Amino acid sequence: MAGNSRRQGAIRKTGTKKGAVVGSGGQRRKALEGKGPTPKAEDRPGHKAYRQNNAQTKRDQARQKKADKPELIAGRNPVVEALRAGVPATALYVALNIEIDDRVNDAVRLAGDKGISILEIPREELDRKTNRAVHQGLGLQVPPFEYAHPDDLMNAARNSGEVPLFVALDGVTDPRNLGAVIRSAAAFGAHGVLLPERRSAGMTAVAWRTSAGTAAKLPIAVATNLTRQLKSWANDGMMLVGLDADGSVDIDELALAADPLVIVLGSEGRGLSRLVRETCDATVSIPMAAGVESLNASVAAGVLLAEVARRRRLAGRV
């Protein structure tokens, strides 16, 4: 026993590490299996496109939240212009102890004639309501705009007995341009205006005022996905024409003018987005004098709408 150093009852340790198991348990085979297609860049949290898309979504949500609240048009001239244009309003705020001039008198008279509440409040409160804008003692409260559904535009066109004509905006973010486009659309016989849900100006107080009240007479709809809605209209027989500086035809050759038509306007800087451009049946340009790069989106819309209206009158399609 003296030559045996092994202690009785001792357990000999093996080379197996703690926690190890016999065999791979299928781990090696699983490691060789594919993990499916790579997610899109905007769906991968660590990717720049995801962060940009997420930031844009937050901005859109903030804009929608803001759009759900009443807005105030501030300043004597803007308030009087809005009242004269027939912009719907719920209250006229007049700061206490302000200097009275013709614009204040006109604002009070117009509001009274329209049955709008006239409220006198301390200047400090009007400062707060207008986010300290230069209000000159006057503020006009405008309620949130009620948008139509895209189907409402088609129904309005069909009920009119006329050849349908719509205007769709692709990324127009300036509310003044939006208001001016709406005004031109109404002036030249369009049956409605379509806005995308994202990356677009909404019907703010500024857009209301620029439209000169025509937004109350023309249905304005919002599409969750602009390209999908345009394709839906195309399936209903509408022709899609995008306004573009490098158009496939110029305005003098627009043979589609008398057909059921959707005029698509791009953003002030980038123009039409790729998917929208590819959806259009044609793109049209406006010939201009040398040395002039491009027209403002709303001005270009007015030129094209006027030409469409002229061609429809000649064809007897109005």
Side-chain angles (χ1 to χ4, degrees), residues 10-177:
I11 300 175
R12 187 179 66 180
K13 293 183 179 180
T14 66
T16 305
K17 295 182 180 179
K18 183 178 180 181
V21 294
V22 177
S24 67
Q27 298 299 321
R28 189 172 302 164
R29 186 169 59 253
K30 289 180 181 179
L32 296 175
E33 294 179 357
K35 296 182 180 180
T38 302
K40 295 180 179 179
E42 56 267 28
D43 293 333
R44 304 204 302 269
H47 198 281
K48 179 180 178 182
Y50 175 90
R51 295 192 297 271
Q52 290 176 337
N53 190 57
N54 193 43
Q56 181 63 47
T57 299
K58 290 181 179 178
R59 287 194 294 270
D60 291 335
Q61 290 172 345
R63 181 174 66 84
Q64 183 59 45
K65 186 176 181 180
K66 182 179 179 182
D68 292 338
K69 296 180 180 179
E71 284 196 67
L72 255 72
I73 298 175
R76 298 190 180 191
N77 284 336
V79 166
V80 172
E81 289 173 9
L83 287 168
R84 286 176 177 165
V87 172
T90 53
L92 172 66
Y93 293 104
V94 182
L96 292 168
N97 303 319
I98 62 170
E99 182 179 344
I100 304 298
D101 64 8
D102 290 342
R103 294 170 296 175
V104 174
N105 288 330
D106 286 346
V108 172
R109 177 180 55 80
L110 289 167
D113 291 344
K114 297 175 183 295
I116 298 170
S117 300
I118 302 171
L119 306 172
E120 286 190 288
I121 60 175
R123 177 177 288 274
E124 294 77 13
E125 186 176 350
L126 189 54
D127 289 341
R128 181 180 56 78
K129 285 182 174 292
T130 59
N131 291 322
R132 303 201 172 277
V134 182
H135 53 70
Q136 300 171 302
L138 288 184
L140 186 67
Q141 182 171 286
V142 179
F145 187 79
E146 295 185 9
Y147 294 97
H149 188 277
D151 292 346
D152 297 335
L153 273 61
M154 186 63 73
N155 292 335
R158 288 171 175 166
N159 292 336
S160 71
E162 301 168 346
V163 180
L165 174 62
F166 305 136
V167 178
L169 276 60
D170 178 22
V172 174
T173 56
D174 187 334
R176 290 167 295 185
N177 270 340

Side-chain angles (χ1 to χ4, degrees), residues 82-314:
L83 287 168
R84 286 176 177 165
V87 172
T90 53
L92 172 66
Y93 293 104
V94 182
L96 292 168
N97 303 319
I98 62 170
E99 182 179 344
I100 304 298
D101 64 8
D102 290 342
R103 294 170 296 175
V104 174
N105 288 330
D106 286 346
V108 172
R109 177 180 55 80
L110 289 167
D113 291 344
K114 297 175 183 295
I116 298 170
S117 300
I118 302 171
L119 306 172
E120 286 190 288
I121 60 175
R123 177 177 288 274
E124 294 77 13
E125 186 176 350
L126 189 54
D127 289 341
R128 181 180 56 78
K129 285 182 174 292
T130 59
N131 291 322
R132 303 201 172 277
V134 182
H135 53 70
Q136 300 171 302
L138 288 184
L140 186 67
Q141 182 171 286
V142 179
F145 187 79
E146 295 185 9
Y147 294 97
H149 188 277
D151 292 346
D152 297 335
L153 273 61
M154 186 63 73
N155 292 335
R158 288 171 175 166
N159 292 336
S160 71
E162 301 168 346
V163 180
L165 174 62
F166 305 136
V167 178
L169 276 60
D170 178 22
V172 174
T173 56
D174 187 334
R176 290 167 295 185
N177 270 340
L178 171 58
V181 168
I182 292 170
R183 188 172 184 176
S184 294
F188 295 112
H191 299 98
V193 174
L194 180 69
L195 309 178
E197 188 174 66
R198 302 178 61 187
R199 297 180 176 86
S200 172
M203 281 307 301
T204 62
V206 173
W208 260 118
R209 180 161 56 87
T210 311
S211 77
T214 54
K217 306 171 185 176
L218 192 70
I220 301 168
V222 172
T224 304
N225 184 299
L226 180 61
T227 303
R228 188 185 306 139
Q229 183 59 50
L230 291 175
K231 289 180 178 179
S232 176
W233 277 348
N235 292 334
D236 287 338
M238 302 293 293
M239 303 302 294
L240 310 178
V241 173
L243 186 57
D244 188 82
D246 300 318
S248 55
V249 298
D250 67 38
I251 194 172
D252 299 328
E253 302 168 349
L254 185 58
L256 300 174
D259 295 331
L261 191 64
V262 182
I263 294 175
V264 189
L265 305 176
S267 67
E268 296 86 350
R270 298 187 303 274
L272 296 171
S273 62
R274 180 182 60 83
L275 289 177
V276 168
R277 182 194 297 272
E278 292 173 353
T279 304
C280 290
D281 298 293
T283 53
V284 60
S285 60
I286 300 174
M288 293 183 293
V292 180
E293 292 186 4
S294 63
L295 294 173
N296 170 282
S298 60
V299 174
V303 172
L304 181 53
L305 283 163
E307 176 62 14
V308 169
R310 184 187 71 83
R311 287 176 175 258
R312 289 187 170 205
R313 289 194 299 271
L314 291 176

